[in-house]
Every structure is written in structure tokens, then in C-alpha cells.
Amino acid sequence: MFTRSAIAAILAVAPAILAAPAPAPQVTEPASFGPDVQVSYQAQSTAGPDYPLAEELGDGYTSATYHGPYTGTPTTTGAANGPTTLAASIPPLPLNPTATYYNTGGKPINPLPAPYTPAGGLGTNGTLPRYMVESDFDYESIALGLYQEWIELDLFHDGLARFSEAEFLEAGLTSEYMSLIEFMADQETGHSTLLTNMLGETAPKQCVYDYPYNTVREWLDFMQRLTRFGESGVWGYINHLDSREVGQLLAQSIATEARQQQIFRQMSGLTPMDVWFENGWPQSWSWTMLAPYISYCPENQTRLAWQNFPVLHILNNANINRYSPNDTAQDGSEVTGSRITDPSISNLTDWTQQIRTPLLPFII
Ligand SMILES: *[C@@H]1O[C@H](CO)[C@@H](O)[C@H](O)[C@H]1NC(C)=O
Ligand SMILES: *[C@@H]1O[C@H](CO)[C@@H](O)[C@H](O)[C@H]1NC(C)=O
Ligand SMILES: *[C@@H]1O[C@H](CO)[C@@H](O)[C@H](O)[C@H]1NC(C)=O
Ligand SMILES: *[C@@H]1O[C@H](CO)[C@@H](O)[C@H](O)[C@H]1NC(C)=O
């Protein structure tokens, strides 16, 4: 097995020359298709000669052999396109003329198709469910969701492998909390498998990532932000999917992801939820948040049709590492880098302002 720095050094020259030293593929293709296939973090295939494998980095935790920027020449750029584009935009229309149902009596208006079964609903007439995407809209949306699940699979594992138990304790997290995070990391295996199978053989594969954190608290903060935009991205499109079957399974994975987000918030000392409603985002917003953390993907990777907008910076985001988050500089400077969801810095220059003592363990 090669060390991380050796892999990084090789990658810095050119990805192609990894062909010789790459270890043999271990088990399945991450994007294999079918009911019996489960993608596993420990058993990522090479999916191409330059594709790094997961390796154990200490304490029994496993992460990819390389994280960081891509320094080669990209072989492809831009969003995926269809055969043609029909118009510059979709004009707004009045209400659908059939959208008229209104119940003034408080009782069913129409005959019941069966006992205790009010008329209506979709997918309720006895046809078998088909748990596959049913349109380009579905395909591109679920492919975006899969890019999200892949980074989570890697990210949750990476902090566990990268930071020591002592560093976790310093952040107030005992080994029980590490186990809980590992369970969440393993949940991503299920989510990636599910979305892969709903797309089929061209499902996007796992990529190589470039992360913005240096400490346990920065990692937690980044995971909290990442799961948050991942969740909102799904709420934005889920009810527009052609396939209600796909929407249903997706909802059941995103409900789990929302819990992960709350747990990361609590592990950071934040209130678990701070709003009455979560917001729903268009896919291109979600992709804009995610794309900057991907450095490169396997050859022939399935690309997305969504737009990656220029970066925006949040100027008034409170720093969770301050005793008084309200005192965060209002110029966006208290984050670890220049990407939009980079976490708050946990090494303030003025140490009197910073949470330093371990947080007390809390019940979740
Ligand atoms: C059942 O409902 C679907 C839409 O959900 C519709 O396309 C299909 O024609 C219906 N089948 C029957 C037998 O009514
Ligand atoms: C990528 O696609 C090209 C053209 O379809 C094919 O020749 C090549 O083998 C593919 N490479 C991989 C790694 O799948
Ligand atoms: C937080 O900061 C804002 C803006 O500087 C200020 O208006 C507000 O009073 C502060 N709140 C507290 C509780 O310090
Ligand atoms: C905080 O940590 C980052 C990354 O390790 C480093 O670049 C930066 O200089 C540090 N800032 C301070 C104030 O120590």
C-alpha cells in the first residue's frame, strides 16, 4: 500500500502514470447495477487505472488514499447537454384547468374504489411500482443526489480516519460518538447503493475530493453544512419527479440525512434545529455548493445537466467556535477557505474568544 504523500506526489505529475502502481481492484464496481449489489466503502474498485482505493489510516478507520486538488489537465468540462435546447426559458402559465378540487362537506365526494379507500392518489390503482427513474429530469436529479451521497460516504469516513481519538476528545466527542459517526458513514453505503440502482449502469461513480477542514470541529461544521444543502437540494425537486416510487425511496434516505445533520449540529454544540420549515432548492444551487469539493472523477464519468454558478460568499455566517458567535467578523473572513460552504475556522487569532475546553458529553 502506498502512503498518502507518495500518492499525492504521483498525482501531482499526471494521473495517467498511476496505471503502473495502482493496486488491483478489490471487489465490485461502485456503480454495478442490480438488486444483489451493495457498494462498499472498504471495497471501492479502481474504476480506471488512476482511481485511488480506500485504505486504513489508523484506529481501524478507512479513507481514500488521496484527498486534495487535481493538478492535471481536465479531459472534459461543462454540463451534460441534450440533442437540442428548445427555448431560452419556460414561460409561466395560469393554473392547470383541472386543478379544481375543493371539499365543502368534509366527506368523500366521489365513489370509493374499495372499502376505507378514498378515490384519488397516484400509484394507488393497483399497478406494480417501478423503482427506476422515468425521465431526463428524474435521471439528472437522482444523479445529482448520488454525487451527494458519494461525497458523504467519503467525507464521514475521512474525519474518522484522519483525526485521532485524542483530537476527538479535545472536541468533546468520546468513542461512542465516533461509533455513531461511523454508523452514519455506513448509512451512506445504503444510500449510494439505492440511488445507483434507481439510475442503472450509467450511474455516476465516486470521485476524489478536496476538503476544507483541518480540525474535528471544522470537519463537523462542514458535514453539517453539506448535509444541510444536500437535504434542501432534494426537497426542491422531489415532488417534481416523474417517478413517485423513486421519490418515495429518496424521501426515506433524506429523512435519515436530516437526522445526520441534526446530530452534527449537536456534536458542534449547536441547537439541533433552528427553523420551522427546511427550504427547497433548485438542483443547480445544490450542484453549485457541491461541485467545488470534487477534484476529479473516474474516466467517462456521467456528468450532470445542472449549472455550476460562480461562487458566492456568506458574509454574516456566525462562527460556531466563538464563545459569542455574534461577535463573528461580518466580512466572511472566519471560514477556512474561499468555497461557499467552507466551515468556520476553529483557530481564531484571539484565543480568549475561542471555545477551547472540551464540551460536556450530551445525550442525543
Ligand atoms: C393506473 O394509474 C396510472 C397513473 O398512476 C395510469 O397511468 C394507469 O393508466 C392506471 N391504470 C389503470 C388500469 O387504471
Ligand atoms: C471511456 O469511453 C471510451 C469511448 O466510449 C471507451 O473507449 C473507453 O474504454 C472508456 N474508458 C473507460 C475507463 O471506461
Ligand atoms: C449581535 O450583533 C448585532 C450586530 O452587531 C447586534 O445588533 C446585536 O445587538 C447583537 N446581539 C447580541 C445578543 O449581542
Ligand atoms: C488556522 O489554520 C489554518 C490551516 O491550518 C492556517 O492556514 C491559518 O494560518 C491558521 N490561522 C491562525 C490564526 O492560526
Side-chain angles (χ1 to χ4, degrees), residues 56-137:
E56 201 177 293
L57 292 182
D59 292 347
Y61 293 109
T62 303
S63 187
T65 47
Y66 177 72
H67 291 100
Y70 176 63
T71 51
T73 309
T75 53
T76 183
T77 54
N81 230 326
T84 181
T85 301
L86 299 175
S89 64
I90 297 172
L93 294 171
L95 276 179
N96 185 331
T98 63
T100 55
Y101 179 85
Y102 190 75
N103 188 326
T104 52
K107 286 185 190 168
I109 301 169
N110 298 301
L112 275 62
Y116 306 107
T117 309
L122 293 171
T124 55
N125 64 4
T127 51
L128 270 183
R130 178 179 186 259
Y131 294 101
M132 286 292 293
V133 291
E134 293 284 5
S135 62
D136 288 350
F137 182 91

Side-chain angles (χ1 to χ4, degrees), residues 47-49 205 298-300:
K205 294 173 182 162
E299 199 182 344
N300 293 350

